[in-house]
Amino acid sequence: MRTDSSPGNLPAREHLPAGSAGTPVLDVVIPVYNEEKDLQPCVMRLHEHLRRTFPYEFRITIADNASTDATPRVAARLDQEIPEVRSFRLEEKGRGRALRTVWSASDAPVLAYMDVDLSTDLNALLPLVAPLISGHSDLAIGSRLSRSSRVVRGAKREFISRTYNLILRGSLQARFSDAQCGFKAIRRDVAQVLLPLVEDTGWFFDTEMLVLAERAGLRIHEVPVDWVDDPDSTVHIVRTATDDLKGVWRVGRALATGSLPLDRLARPFGDDPRDRELTDVPKGLARQLVGFCVVGALSTLFYLLLYSGFRTFSGSQVANALALLVSAVANTAANRRLTFGVRGRGGAVRHQAQGLVVFGVGLVLTSGSLAALNAATTDPGHSTELAVLIAANLAATVLRFLLFRAWVFPDRRDETPSPVVAGHNPASPTYSTAARPPYDTGPFGPDRFGADHFRTDQFRAGEAADLTRGDATMQLQAVRPYDDEPNPRDAR
């Protein structure tokens, strides 16, 4: 699993500011493989829709996945004839590889993709990207499983889609409704940090991206869509389903072992500038309480089972000590990962040592309660012992949570602030990103998008994602307040 993302938390979400015309706000990627017949009608229809309805500058990028038919020639012709279209050639197949490569190289602040068959109604495109432009959300997906969606497709595909999403909910605790809809968007500042963590290069790419984003606490906006199945789809269902299940297993194992640095995707507390001025705000207290209670309840059941088992061949004090020791180790490990979100093996031994100290406190409380019971009666019943132990464990649980939160797993995020990947200066009407070279040379210079000379560039997968970048500033096209104002694109 990849762990080479840039360090630091994401900045607070901001509304992308309006400014003079320049860099496109939206870059829509269409990954294709041997689509010589459908490519031109798709691009023409999408371009007309965006030109007519989208209030900002836009770009359409054709990502050719090593096609062997006439698709590259069709893409090159569209690149030359339409100013807002560019073509991008990869020498290796893989939808995920194409999206990662093109998105990593794009200079647009909002990145989207859709399938070439345009099964999704294009009227959902503006609602898809609007929450990303406004700063409300980090990612956006189209959903065919929403109550208000209208979908036309066969029973087989309907069954597969719903079964797959049930698997995601049951195994990875995914809360988004539709992982496979080919209609998604992401903010570029999020993509720069999230994409290096996504390992898949095929159809599981966007599912993995969504699962990691959701686990990191990023906001995912869902848009109900109208969708009509393409009967000529070339997707191999069985092979795709097999690869997806392998991906579910791989991602689930990585999440369980804590090998992913998802804390690098965390947003600051609150997106309102006034919220960022607050200090000493408890972070995740309610969630920690719920997680601790769940872990505590399971640990108590585990402890009682162990105590009952050890009691069959030992005295009450020995059985209590052994049961509490075993359950304390499991409790500390579970709370470390699930309640306080500590991932990886760093500090695990120290945390277990501190957990044993907390265990000692619990041992004193429960052993003292048993001693008091034995002093009060010479032959207490087993049910009475269990009742006393439950009461003592409740008291020990409250103290354990306080010690865990304040001593074993304290929140140290504010002690050493880390650099952010992207930043925004509210006082300036520009959108600032990490350092990158001026776009006056190479395949992504202004001559690619603003001049009369256009060409189709070829890259091996991953080359564009590895480009080094210097300082750059982008300004967005202001929304026209009145419909009778001229569209600057009409002049072209």
Side-chain angles (χ1 to χ4, degrees), residues 113 139 147 296 329 359 361 367 407 420 439 457 463 473 480:
Y113 95 89
L139 298 92
R147 289 183 179 273
V329 173
F359 150 76
V361 176
S367 297
W407 179 48
V420 297
Y439 289 94
D457 295 311
E463 286 182 359
T473 300
R480 292 179 286 116

Side-chain angles (χ1 to χ4, degrees), residues 124-396:
L125 182 56
L126 185 55
L128 183 80
V129 301
L132 308 185
I133 294 175
S134 70
H136 173 270
S137 300
D138 301 296
L139 298 92
I141 64 174
S143 175
R144 299 163 296 183
L145 303 181
S146 174
R147 289 183 179 273
S148 57
S149 298
R150 296 182 296 180
V151 177
V152 178
R153 61 176 167 180
K156 180 180 179 181
R157 285 183 174 270
E158 181 76 11
F159 174 78
I160 293 175
S161 179
R162 291 188 178 274
T163 301
Y164 179 65
N165 283 281
L166 286 176
I167 292 174
L168 292 180
R169 288 176 177 270
S171 59
L172 300 178
Q173 289 79 50
R175 289 175 292 177
F176 47 85
S177 65
D178 192 352
Q180 295 178 312
C181 183
F183 196 69
K184 295 181 175 69
I186 184 173
R187 287 176 63 105
R188 187 185 62 180
D189 57 349
V190 176
Q192 288 175 338
V193 185
L194 177 58
L195 294 185
L197 301 179
V198 181
E199 184 173 325
D200 190 81
T201 59
W203 292 94
F204 187 70
F205 170 85
D206 39 358
T207 299
E208 183 175 354
M209 178 182 68
L210 290 173
V211 170
L212 299 186
E214 187 176 72
R215 286 297 187 94
L218 298 180
R219 184 174 294 159
I220 301 175
H221 179 75
E222 294 198 17
V223 178
V225 297
D226 297 339
W227 194 86
V228 179
D229 191 12
D230 178 15
D232 299 325
S233 175
T234 58
V235 177
H236 193 290
I237 296 178
V238 176
R239 183 172 61 244
T240 301
T242 302
D243 293 341
D244 286 348
L245 292 177
K246 292 179 181 178
V248 169
W249 169 257
R250 174 176 52 79
V251 172
R253 182 177 57 185
L255 293 173
T257 58
S259 61
L260 288 168
L262 297 181
D263 55 324
R264 298 177 181 179
L265 291 165
R267 292 285 191 185
F269 177 81
D271 293 330
D272 190 293
R274 296 168 297 180
D275 295 336
R276 291 169 227 145
E277 298 173 358
L278 299 177
T279 58
D280 300 326
V281 178
K283 298 178 177 64
L285 177 59
R287 183 190 61 80
Q288 290 177 356
L289 279 173
V290 173
F292 185 82
C293 289
V294 172
V295 172
L298 296 176
S299 298
T300 301
L301 292 176
F302 184 48
Y303 161 79
L304 293 176
L305 290 174
L306 290 174
Y307 177 82
S308 298
F310 292 143
R311 190 68 173 86
T312 59
F313 59 84
S314 63
S316 61
Q317 292 289 3
V318 175
N320 173 64
L322 291 176
L324 195 58
L325 176 61
V326 176
S327 61
V329 173
N331 181 275
T332 300
N335 276 305
R336 181 178 186 270
R337 175 66 182 88
L338 302 177
T339 303
F340 297 97
V342 180
R343 302 176 177 87
R345 299 180 180 179
V349 176
R350 175 175 58 84
H351 292 154
Q352 282 293 350
Q354 292 173 308
L356 290 178
V357 175
V358 178
F359 150 76
V361 176
L363 180 62
V364 170
L365 286 176
T366 54
S367 297
S369 300
L370 283 175
L373 177 63
N374 290 327
T377 177
T378 58
D379 189 18
H382 184 65
S383 59
T384 305
E385 286 184 349
L386 291 181
V388 170
L389 287 175
I390 290 174
N393 269 284
L394 288 176

